[in-house]
PDB file of all heavy atoms in Angstrom:
ATOM      1  N   HIS A  21       6.978 -26.572 -22.100  1.00 55.00           N
ATOM      2  CA  HIS A  21       6.782 -26.311 -20.659  1.00 55.00           C
ATOM      3  C   HIS A  21       6.274 -24.842 -20.563  1.00 55.00           C
ATOM      4  O   HIS A  21       6.359 -24.021 -21.332  1.00 55.00           O
ATOM      5  CB  HIS A  21       8.145 -26.535 -19.890  1.00 55.00           C
ATOM      6  CG  HIS A  21       9.318 -25.770 -20.483  1.00 55.00           C
ATOM      7  ND1 HIS A  21       9.480 -24.443 -20.228  1.00 55.00           N
ATOM      8  CD2 HIS A  21      10.274 -26.155 -21.312  1.00 55.00           C
ATOM      9  CE1 HIS A  21      10.610 -23.982 -20.822  1.00 55.00           C
ATOM     10  NE2 HIS A  21      11.094 -25.016 -21.484  1.00 55.00           N
ATOM     11  N   LEU A  22       5.872 -24.525 -19.272  1.00 58.00           N
ATOM     12  CA  LEU A  22       5.389 -23.252 -18.963  1.00 58.00           C
ATOM     13  C   LEU A  22       6.512 -22.245 -19.096  1.00 58.00           C
ATOM     14  O   LEU A  22       7.649 -22.610 -18.725  1.00 58.00           O
ATOM     15  CB  LEU A  22       4.837 -23.144 -17.547  1.00 58.00           C
ATOM     16  CG  LEU A  22       3.552 -24.021 -17.307  1.00 58.00           C
ATOM     17  CD1 LEU A  22       3.235 -23.891 -15.774  1.00 58.00           C
ATOM     18  CD2 LEU A  22       2.301 -23.535 -18.147  1.00 58.00           C
ATOM     19  N   GLU A  23       6.313 -21.045 -19.669  1.00 55.00           N
ATOM     20  CA  GLU A  23       7.400 -20.078 -19.864  1.00 55.00           C
ATOM     21  C   GLU A  23       7.283 -18.992 -18.842  1.00 55.00           C
ATOM     22  O   GLU A  23       6.171 -18.459 -18.466  1.00 55.00           O
ATOM     23  CB  GLU A  23       7.238 -19.476 -21.279  1.00 55.00           C
ATOM     24  CG  GLU A  23       7.547 -20.515 -22.395  1.00 55.00           C
ATOM     25  CD  GLU A  23       7.695 -19.914 -23.710  1.00 55.00           C
ATOM     26  OE1 GLU A  23       7.112 -18.897 -23.979  1.00 55.00           O
ATOM     27  OE2 GLU A  23       8.443 -20.424 -24.600  1.00 55.00           O
ATOM     28  N   ARG A  24       8.507 -18.439 -18.530  1.00 59.00           N
ATOM     29  CA  ARG A  24       8.482 -17.348 -17.568  1.00 59.00           C
ATOM     30  C   ARG A  24       8.382 -16.032 -18.268  1.00 59.00           C
ATOM     31  O   ARG A  24       9.309 -15.441 -18.605  1.00 59.00           O
ATOM     32  CB  ARG A  24       9.942 -17.434 -16.852  1.00 59.00           C
ATOM     33  CG  ARG A  24      10.131 -18.667 -15.949  1.00 59.00           C
ATOM     34  CD  ARG A  24      11.445 -18.579 -15.139  1.00 59.00           C
ATOM     35  NE  ARG A  24      11.379 -19.777 -14.301  1.00 59.00           N
ATOM     36  CZ  ARG A  24      10.955 -19.908 -13.128  1.00 59.00           C
ATOM     37  NH1 ARG A  24      10.194 -18.991 -12.607  1.00 59.00           N
ATOM     38  NH2 ARG A  24      11.022 -21.083 -12.503  1.00 59.00           N
ATOM     39  N   GLN A  25       7.112 -15.622 -18.412  1.00 57.00           N
ATOM     40  CA  GLN A  25       6.706 -14.433 -19.168  1.00 57.00           C
ATOM     41  C   GLN A  25       6.173 -13.256 -18.296  1.00 57.00           C
ATOM     42  O   GLN A  25       5.922 -12.255 -18.721  1.00 57.00           O
ATOM     43  CB  GLN A  25       5.691 -14.731 -20.233  1.00 57.00           C
ATOM     44  CG  GLN A  25       6.177 -15.622 -21.305  1.00 57.00           C
ATOM     45  CD  GLN A  25       5.193 -15.896 -22.415  1.00 57.00           C
ATOM     46  OE1 GLN A  25       4.169 -15.105 -22.489  1.00 57.00           O
ATOM     47  NE2 GLN A  25       5.357 -16.859 -23.207  1.00 57.00           N
ATOM     48  N   LEU A  26       5.973 -13.568 -16.994  1.00 63.00           N
ATOM     49  CA  LEU A  26       5.349 -12.620 -16.132  1.00 63.00           C
ATOM     50  C   LEU A  26       6.423 -11.764 -15.460  1.00 63.00           C
ATOM     51  O   LEU A  26       7.294 -12.205 -14.705  1.00 63.00           O
ATOM     52  CB  LEU A  26       4.554 -13.310 -14.996  1.00 63.00           C
ATOM     53  CG  LEU A  26       3.320 -14.037 -15.460  1.00 63.00           C
ATOM     54  CD1 LEU A  26       2.670 -14.676 -14.277  1.00 63.00           C
ATOM     55  CD2 LEU A  26       2.351 -13.113 -16.287  1.00 63.00           C
ATOM     56  N   SER A  27       6.447 -10.507 -15.751  1.00 62.00           N
ATOM     57  CA  SER A  27       7.433  -9.467 -15.299  1.00 62.00           C
ATOM     58  C   SER A  27       7.197  -9.034 -13.941  1.00 62.00           C
ATOM     59  O   SER A  27       6.102  -9.321 -13.254  1.00 62.00           O
ATOM     60  CB  SER A  27       7.566  -8.273 -16.286  1.00 62.00           C
ATOM     61  OG  SER A  27       6.377  -7.582 -16.219  1.00 62.00           O
ATOM     62  N   ASN A  28       8.038  -8.219 -13.347  1.00 62.00           N
ATOM     63  CA  ASN A  28       7.863  -7.635 -12.034  1.00 62.00           C
ATOM     64  C   ASN A  28       6.553  -6.909 -11.882  1.00 62.00           C
ATOM     65  O   ASN A  28       5.733  -7.068 -10.892  1.00 62.00           O
ATOM     66  CB  ASN A  28       9.009  -6.745 -11.636  1.00 62.00           C
ATOM     67  CG  ASN A  28       8.873  -6.061 -10.302  1.00 62.00           C
ATOM     68  OD1 ASN A  28       8.490  -6.783  -9.288  1.00 62.00           O
ATOM     69  ND2 ASN A  28       8.929  -4.796 -10.188  1.00 62.00           N
ATOM     70  N   ARG A  29       6.216  -6.072 -12.767  1.00 65.00           N
ATOM     71  CA  ARG A  29       4.936  -5.249 -12.773  1.00 65.00           C
ATOM     72  C   ARG A  29       3.741  -6.181 -12.793  1.00 65.00           C
ATOM     73  O   ARG A  29       2.692  -5.938 -12.132  1.00 65.00           O
ATOM     74  CB  ARG A  29       4.822  -4.195 -13.894  1.00 65.00           C
ATOM     75  CG  ARG A  29       4.648  -4.662 -15.254  1.00 65.00           C
ATOM     76  CD  ARG A  29       4.703  -3.531 -16.245  1.00 65.00           C
ATOM     77  NE  ARG A  29       4.465  -3.918 -17.600  1.00 65.00           N
ATOM     78  CZ  ARG A  29       3.288  -4.052 -18.171  1.00 65.00           C
ATOM     79  NH1 ARG A  29       2.181  -3.712 -17.471  1.00 65.00           N
ATOM     80  NH2 ARG A  29       3.128  -4.508 -19.436  1.00 65.00           N
ATOM     81  N   HIS A  30       3.831  -7.261 -13.643  1.00 66.00           N
ATOM     82  CA  HIS A  30       2.721  -8.198 -13.645  1.00 66.00           C
ATOM     83  C   HIS A  30       2.524  -8.823 -12.297  1.00 66.00           C
ATOM     84  O   HIS A  30       1.443  -8.994 -11.736  1.00 66.00           O
ATOM     85  CB  HIS A  30       2.963  -9.297 -14.658  1.00 66.00           C
ATOM     86  CG  HIS A  30       2.911  -8.822 -16.147  1.00 66.00           C
ATOM     87  ND1 HIS A  30       3.861  -9.274 -17.112  1.00 66.00           N
ATOM     88  CD2 HIS A  30       2.125  -7.958 -16.706  1.00 66.00           C
ATOM     89  CE1 HIS A  30       3.522  -8.551 -18.238  1.00 66.00           C
ATOM     90  NE2 HIS A  30       2.486  -7.816 -18.038  1.00 66.00           N
ATOM     91  N   ILE A  31       3.655  -9.416 -11.711  1.00 67.00           N
ATOM     92  CA  ILE A  31       3.581 -10.074 -10.361  1.00 67.00           C
ATOM     93  C   ILE A  31       3.014  -9.207  -9.334  1.00 67.00           C
ATOM     94  O   ILE A  31       2.242  -9.548  -8.552  1.00 67.00           O
ATOM     95  CB  ILE A  31       4.985 -10.637  -9.996  1.00 67.00           C
ATOM     96  CG1 ILE A  31       5.470 -11.661 -11.075  1.00 67.00           C
ATOM     97  CG2 ILE A  31       4.954 -11.195  -8.647  1.00 67.00           C
ATOM     98  CD1 ILE A  31       4.617 -12.841 -11.140  1.00 67.00           C
ATOM     99  N   GLN A  32       3.578  -7.902  -9.267  1.00 66.00           N
ATOM    100  CA  GLN A  32       3.079  -6.968  -8.328  1.00 66.00           C
ATOM    101  C   GLN A  32       1.641  -6.690  -8.371  1.00 66.00           C
ATOM    102  O   GLN A  32       0.886  -6.711  -7.309  1.00 66.00           O
ATOM    103  CB  GLN A  32       3.869  -5.556  -8.454  1.00 66.00           C
ATOM    104  CG  GLN A  32       5.336  -5.677  -8.049  1.00 66.00           C
ATOM    105  CD  GLN A  32       5.490  -5.828  -6.582  1.00 66.00           C
ATOM    106  OE1 GLN A  32       4.677  -5.352  -5.766  1.00 66.00           O
ATOM    107  NE2 GLN A  32       6.669  -6.431  -6.184  1.00 66.00           N
ATOM    108  N   LEU A  33       1.062  -6.454  -9.619  1.00 68.00           N
ATOM    109  CA  LEU A  33      -0.301  -6.189  -9.732  1.00 68.00           C
ATOM    110  C   LEU A  33      -1.145  -7.322  -9.588  1.00 68.00           C
ATOM    111  O   LEU A  33      -2.299  -7.295  -9.127  1.00 68.00           O
ATOM    112  CB  LEU A  33      -0.532  -5.468 -11.116  1.00 68.00           C
ATOM    113  CG  LEU A  33      -0.472  -3.942 -11.103  1.00 68.00           C
ATOM    114  CD1 LEU A  33      -1.570  -3.305 -10.352  1.00 68.00           C
ATOM    115  CD2 LEU A  33       0.900  -3.420 -10.611  1.00 68.00           C
ATOM    116  N   ILE A  34      -0.699  -8.572  -9.980  1.00 67.00           N
ATOM    117  CA  ILE A  34      -1.463  -9.858  -9.756  1.00 67.00           C
ATOM    118  C   ILE A  34      -1.602  -9.963  -8.211  1.00 67.00           C
ATOM    119  O   ILE A  34      -2.654 -10.371  -7.673  1.00 67.00           O
ATOM    120  CB  ILE A  34      -0.731 -11.006 -10.426  1.00 67.00           C
ATOM    121  CG1 ILE A  34      -0.902 -10.942 -11.881  1.00 67.00           C
ATOM    122  CG2 ILE A  34      -1.267 -12.308  -9.776  1.00 67.00           C
ATOM    123  CD1 ILE A  34      -0.037 -11.937 -12.631  1.00 67.00           C
ATOM    124  N   ALA A  35      -0.522  -9.648  -7.489  1.00 64.00           N
ATOM    125  CA  ALA A  35      -0.597  -9.765  -5.981  1.00 64.00           C
ATOM    126  C   ALA A  35      -1.558  -8.864  -5.366  1.00 64.00           C
ATOM    127  O   ALA A  35      -2.294  -9.129  -4.495  1.00 64.00           O
ATOM    128  CB  ALA A  35       0.826  -9.600  -5.398  1.00 64.00           C
ATOM    129  N   ILE A  36      -1.583  -7.569  -5.934  1.00 67.00           N
ATOM    130  CA  ILE A  36      -2.526  -6.515  -5.487  1.00 67.00           C
ATOM    131  C   ILE A  36      -4.016  -7.001  -5.859  1.00 67.00           C
ATOM    132  O   ILE A  36      -4.925  -6.936  -4.994  1.00 67.00           O
ATOM    133  CB  ILE A  36      -2.207  -5.199  -6.108  1.00 67.00           C
ATOM    134  CG1 ILE A  36      -0.944  -4.694  -5.432  1.00 67.00           C
ATOM    135  CG2 ILE A  36      -3.341  -4.190  -5.830  1.00 67.00           C
ATOM    136  CD1 ILE A  36      -0.496  -3.320  -6.193  1.00 67.00           C
ATOM    137  N   GLY A  37      -4.075  -7.499  -7.056  1.00 65.00           N
ATOM    138  CA  GLY A  37      -5.455  -7.993  -7.472  1.00 65.00           C
ATOM    139  C   GLY A  37      -5.948  -9.091  -6.600  1.00 65.00           C
ATOM    140  O   GLY A  37      -7.175  -9.221  -6.319  1.00 65.00           O
ATOM    141  N   GLY A  38      -5.069  -9.966  -6.157  1.00 60.00           N
ATOM    142  CA  GLY A  38      -5.367 -11.107  -5.339  1.00 60.00           C
ATOM    143  C   GLY A  38      -5.760 -10.546  -3.880  1.00 60.00           C
ATOM    144  O   GLY A  38      -6.624 -11.106  -3.294  1.00 60.00           O
ATOM    145  N   ALA A  39      -5.135  -9.556  -3.440  1.00 60.00           N
ATOM    146  CA  ALA A  39      -5.390  -8.964  -2.053  1.00 60.00           C
ATOM    147  C   ALA A  39      -6.673  -8.221  -2.032  1.00 60.00           C
ATOM    148  O   ALA A  39      -7.241  -8.053  -0.982  1.00 60.00           O
ATOM    149  CB  ALA A  39      -4.136  -8.159  -1.610  1.00 60.00           C
ATOM    150  N   ILE A  40      -6.982  -7.526  -3.178  1.00 68.00           N
ATOM    151  CA  ILE A  40      -8.219  -6.826  -3.221  1.00 68.00           C
ATOM    152  C   ILE A  40      -9.253  -7.622  -3.948  1.00 68.00           C
ATOM    153  O   ILE A  40      -9.392  -7.582  -5.142  1.00 68.00           O
ATOM    154  CB  ILE A  40      -8.019  -5.448  -3.966  1.00 68.00           C
ATOM    155  CG1 ILE A  40      -6.784  -4.706  -3.456  1.00 68.00           C
ATOM    156  CG2 ILE A  40      -9.314  -4.551  -3.772  1.00 68.00           C
ATOM    157  CD1 ILE A  40      -6.488  -3.491  -4.261  1.00 68.00           C
ATOM    158  N   GLY A  41     -10.107  -8.429  -3.175  1.00 61.00           N
ATOM    159  CA  GLY A  41     -11.073  -9.257  -3.727  1.00 61.00           C
ATOM    160  C   GLY A  41     -12.417  -8.564  -3.924  1.00 61.00           C
ATOM    161  O   GLY A  41     -12.716  -7.446  -3.484  1.00 61.00           O
ATOM    162  N   THR A  42     -13.367  -9.394  -4.498  1.00 62.00           N
ATOM    163  CA  THR A  42     -14.754  -8.934  -4.617  1.00 62.00           C
ATOM    164  C   THR A  42     -15.427  -8.715  -3.245  1.00 62.00           C
ATOM    165  O   THR A  42     -16.236  -7.861  -3.159  1.00 62.00           O
ATOM    166  CB  THR A  42     -15.495 -10.036  -5.461  1.00 62.00           C
ATOM    167  OG1 THR A  42     -14.791 -10.365  -6.527  1.00 62.00           O
ATOM    168  CG2 THR A  42     -16.922  -9.493  -5.802  1.00 62.00           C
ATOM    169  N   GLY A  43     -14.955  -9.411  -2.280  1.00 64.00           N
ATOM    170  CA  GLY A  43     -15.519  -9.321  -0.889  1.00 64.00           C
ATOM    171  C   GLY A  43     -15.381  -7.919  -0.382  1.00 64.00           C
ATOM    172  O   GLY A  43     -16.186  -7.501   0.401  1.00 64.00           O
ATOM    173  N   LEU A  44     -14.326  -7.186  -0.762  1.00 70.00           N
ATOM    174  CA  LEU A  44     -14.235  -5.765  -0.245  1.00 70.00           C
ATOM    175  C   LEU A  44     -15.239  -4.858  -0.923  1.00 70.00           C
ATOM    176  O   LEU A  44     -15.964  -4.138  -0.168  1.00 70.00           O
ATOM    177  CB  LEU A  44     -12.830  -5.156  -0.677  1.00 70.00           C
ATOM    178  CG  LEU A  44     -12.590  -3.719  -0.203  1.00 70.00           C
ATOM    179  CD1 LEU A  44     -12.661  -3.562   1.247  1.00 70.00           C
ATOM    180  CD2 LEU A  44     -11.245  -3.286  -0.784  1.00 70.00           C
ATOM    181  N   PHE A  45     -15.467  -5.007  -2.175  1.00 70.00           N
ATOM    182  CA  PHE A  45     -16.468  -4.112  -2.933  1.00 70.00           C
ATOM    183  C   PHE A  45     -17.902  -4.583  -2.615  1.00 70.00           C
ATOM    184  O   PHE A  45     -18.753  -3.757  -2.443  1.00 70.00           O
ATOM    185  CB  PHE A  45     -16.241  -4.148  -4.386  1.00 70.00           C
ATOM    186  CG  PHE A  45     -14.902  -3.403  -4.877  1.00 70.00           C
ATOM    187  CD1 PHE A  45     -13.765  -4.120  -5.030  1.00 70.00           C
ATOM    188  CD2 PHE A  45     -14.932  -2.047  -4.855  1.00 70.00           C
ATOM    189  CE1 PHE A  45     -12.663  -3.435  -5.401  1.00 70.00           C
ATOM    190  CE2 PHE A  45     -13.796  -1.344  -5.208  1.00 70.00           C
ATOM    191  CZ  PHE A  45     -12.678  -2.057  -5.519  1.00 70.00           C
ATOM    192  N   MET A  46     -18.131  -5.840  -2.583  1.00 66.00           N
ATOM    193  CA  MET A  46     -19.534  -6.344  -2.593  1.00 66.00           C
ATOM    194  C   MET A  46     -19.906  -6.748  -1.153  1.00 66.00           C
ATOM    195  O   MET A  46     -21.039  -6.633  -0.756  1.00 66.00           O
ATOM    196  CB  MET A  46     -19.729  -7.547  -3.577  1.00 66.00           C
ATOM    197  CG  MET A  46     -21.142  -7.945  -3.633  1.00 66.00           C
ATOM    198  SD  MET A  46     -21.489  -9.187  -4.965  1.00 66.00           S
ATOM    199  CE  MET A  46     -23.278  -9.408  -4.860  1.00 66.00           C
ATOM    200  N   GLY A  47     -18.890  -7.357  -0.437  1.00 67.00           N
ATOM    201  CA  GLY A  47     -19.237  -7.944   0.885  1.00 67.00           C
ATOM    202  C   GLY A  47     -18.978  -7.042   2.109  1.00 67.00           C
ATOM    203  O   GLY A  47     -19.449  -7.388   3.168  1.00 67.00           O
ATOM    204  N   SER A  48     -18.334  -5.827   1.840  1.00 77.00           N
ATOM    205  CA  SER A  48     -18.004  -5.039   3.025  1.00 77.00           C
ATOM    206  C   SER A  48     -19.253  -4.390   3.621  1.00 77.00           C
ATOM    207  O   SER A  48     -19.207  -4.046   4.873  1.00 77.00           O
ATOM    208  CB  SER A  48     -17.034  -4.004   2.715  1.00 77.00           C
ATOM    209  OG  SER A  48     -17.424  -3.218   1.594  1.00 77.00           O
ATOM    210  N   GLY A  49     -20.345  -4.265   2.895  1.00 79.00           N
ATOM    211  CA  GLY A  49     -21.587  -3.797   3.516  1.00 79.00           C
ATOM    212  C   GLY A  49     -22.079  -4.709   4.630  1.00 79.00           C
ATOM    213  O   GLY A  49     -22.456  -4.195   5.688  1.00 79.00           O
ATOM    214  N   LYS A  50     -22.149  -5.929   4.298  1.00 79.00           N
ATOM    215  CA  LYS A  50     -22.523  -6.969   5.366  1.00 79.00           C
ATOM    216  C   LYS A  50     -21.648  -6.933   6.493  1.00 79.00           C
ATOM    217  O   LYS A  50     -22.023  -7.050   7.698  1.00 79.00           O
ATOM    218  CB  LYS A  50     -22.639  -8.334   4.701  1.00 79.00           C
ATOM    219  CG  LYS A  50     -23.055  -9.437   5.658  1.00 79.00           C
ATOM    220  CD  LYS A  50     -23.248 -10.731   4.985  1.00 79.00           C
ATOM    221  CE  LYS A  50     -23.551 -11.810   6.078  1.00 79.00           C
ATOM    222  NZ  LYS A  50     -23.691 -13.158   5.499  1.00 79.00           N
ATOM    223  N   THR A  51     -20.285  -6.838   6.203  1.00 82.00           N
ATOM    224  CA  THR A  51     -19.318  -6.960   7.267  1.00 82.00           C
ATOM    225  C   THR A  51     -19.479  -5.765   8.235  1.00 82.00           C
ATOM    226  O   THR A  51     -19.385  -5.984   9.510  1.00 82.00           O
ATOM    227  CB  THR A  51     -17.937  -7.055   6.744  1.00 82.00           C
ATOM    228  OG1 THR A  51     -17.862  -7.909   5.585  1.00 82.00           O
ATOM    229  CG2 THR A  51     -16.867  -7.527   7.738  1.00 82.00           C
ATOM    230  N   ILE A  52     -19.649  -4.594   7.639  1.00 86.00           N
ATOM    231  CA  ILE A  52     -19.674  -3.334   8.439  1.00 86.00           C
ATOM    232  C   ILE A  52     -21.066  -3.433   9.244  1.00 86.00           C
ATOM    233  O   ILE A  52     -20.994  -3.039  10.495  1.00 86.00           O
ATOM    234  CB  ILE A  52     -19.701  -2.099   7.547  1.00 86.00           C
ATOM    235  CG1 ILE A  52     -18.313  -1.949   6.928  1.00 86.00           C
ATOM    236  CG2 ILE A  52     -20.128  -0.873   8.442  1.00 86.00           C
ATOM    237  CD1 ILE A  52     -18.265  -0.819   5.915  1.00 86.00           C
ATOM    238  N   SER A  53     -22.205  -3.822   8.699  1.00 84.00           N
ATOM    239  CA  SER A  53     -23.394  -3.822   9.401  1.00 84.00           C
ATOM    240  C   SER A  53     -23.404  -4.871  10.550  1.00 84.00           C
ATOM    241  O   SER A  53     -24.088  -4.735  11.562  1.00 84.00           O
ATOM    242  CB  SER A  53     -24.539  -4.255   8.392  1.00 84.00           C
ATOM    243  OG  SER A  53     -24.416  -5.526   7.850  1.00 84.00           O
ATOM    244  N   ALA A  54     -22.548  -5.922  10.393  1.00 82.00           N
ATOM    245  CA  ALA A  54     -22.435  -6.994  11.493  1.00 82.00           C
ATOM    246  C   ALA A  54     -21.497  -6.563  12.604  1.00 82.00           C
ATOM    247  O   ALA A  54     -21.783  -6.749  13.769  1.00 82.00           O
ATOM    248  CB  ALA A  54     -21.973  -8.294  10.881  1.00 82.00           C
ATOM    249  N   ALA A  55     -20.305  -6.038  12.260  1.00 86.00           N
ATOM    250  CA  ALA A  55     -19.291  -5.735  13.199  1.00 86.00           C
ATOM    251  C   ALA A  55     -19.166  -4.281  13.596  1.00 86.00           C
ATOM    252  O   ALA A  55     -18.459  -4.007  14.654  1.00 86.00           O
ATOM    253  CB  ALA A  55     -17.991  -6.273  12.691  1.00 86.00           C
ATOM    254  N   GLY A  56     -19.815  -3.361  12.892  1.00 87.00           N
ATOM    255  CA  GLY A  56     -19.557  -1.917  13.114  1.00 87.00           C
ATOM    256  C   GLY A  56     -18.108  -1.512  12.911  1.00 87.00           C
ATOM    257  O   GLY A  56     -17.371  -2.164  12.102  1.00 87.00           O
ATOM    258  N   PRO A  57     -17.704  -0.471  13.541  1.00 91.00           N
ATOM    259  CA  PRO A  57     -16.246  -0.011  13.368  1.00 91.00           C
ATOM    260  C   PRO A  57     -15.186  -1.003  13.682  1.00 91.00           C
ATOM    261  O   PRO A  57     -14.057  -0.922  13.261  1.00 91.00           O
ATOM    262  CB  PRO A  57     -16.143   1.245  14.280  1.00 91.00           C
ATOM    263  CG  PRO A  57     -17.640   1.669  14.273  1.00 91.00           C
ATOM    264  CD  PRO A  57     -18.427   0.448  14.426  1.00 91.00           C
ATOM    265  N   SER A  58     -15.477  -2.064  14.479  1.00 91.00           N
ATOM    266  CA  SER A  58     -14.569  -3.096  14.848  1.00 91.00           C
ATOM    267  C   SER A  58     -14.144  -3.840  13.552  1.00 91.00           C
ATOM    268  O   SER A  58     -13.140  -4.598  13.638  1.00 91.00           O
ATOM    269  CB  SER A  58     -15.058  -4.038  15.862  1.00 91.00           C
ATOM    270  OG  SER A  58     -16.195  -4.827  15.371  1.00 91.00           O
ATOM    271  N   VAL A  59     -14.792  -3.675  12.480  1.00 89.00           N
ATOM    272  CA  VAL A  59     -14.385  -4.295  11.198  1.00 89.00           C
ATOM    273  C   VAL A  59     -12.994  -3.909  10.770  1.00 89.00           C
ATOM    274  O   VAL A  59     -12.278  -4.711  10.105  1.00 89.00           O
ATOM    275  CB  VAL A  59     -15.472  -4.049  10.127  1.00 89.00           C
ATOM    276  CG1 VAL A  59     -15.328  -2.613   9.580  1.00 89.00           C
ATOM    277  CG2 VAL A  59     -15.258  -5.005   8.927  1.00 89.00           C
ATOM    278  N   ILE A  60     -12.624  -2.701  11.223  1.00 90.00           N
ATOM    279  CA  ILE A  60     -11.208  -2.256  11.000  1.00 90.00           C
ATOM    280  C   ILE A  60     -10.216  -3.236  11.558  1.00 90.00           C
ATOM    281  O   ILE A  60      -9.266  -3.624  10.874  1.00 90.00           O
ATOM    282  CB  ILE A  60     -10.969  -0.940  11.510  1.00 90.00           C
ATOM    283  CG1 ILE A  60     -11.856   0.130  10.840  1.00 90.00           C
ATOM    284  CG2 ILE A  60      -9.549  -0.398  11.437  1.00 90.00           C
ATOM    285  CD1 ILE A  60     -11.982   1.503  11.527  1.00 90.00           C
TER     286      ILE A  60
END
């Protein structure tokens, strides 16, 4: 069966990695140009 090998630091950084997607780095240019400062 699947083993519980992911520690607290793994879970925390996996959650951060999930929250910071490619859309922020690559897609934010389009979002800003469409919405302006209201993108905040």
Side-chain angles (χ1 to χ4, degrees):
H21 54 81
L22 296 174
E23 291 190 333
R24 296 186 179 274
Q25 296 183 12
L26 296 176
S27 66
N28 177 50
R29 70 182 180 92
H30 292 140
I31 298 297
Q32 289 290 331
L33 270 292
I34 287 169
I36 291 174
I40 309 171
T42 313
L44 177 62
F45 288 101
M46 188 171 182
S48 53
K50 179 181 179 180
T51 317
I52 293 170
S53 64
S58 67
V59 72
I60 295 168

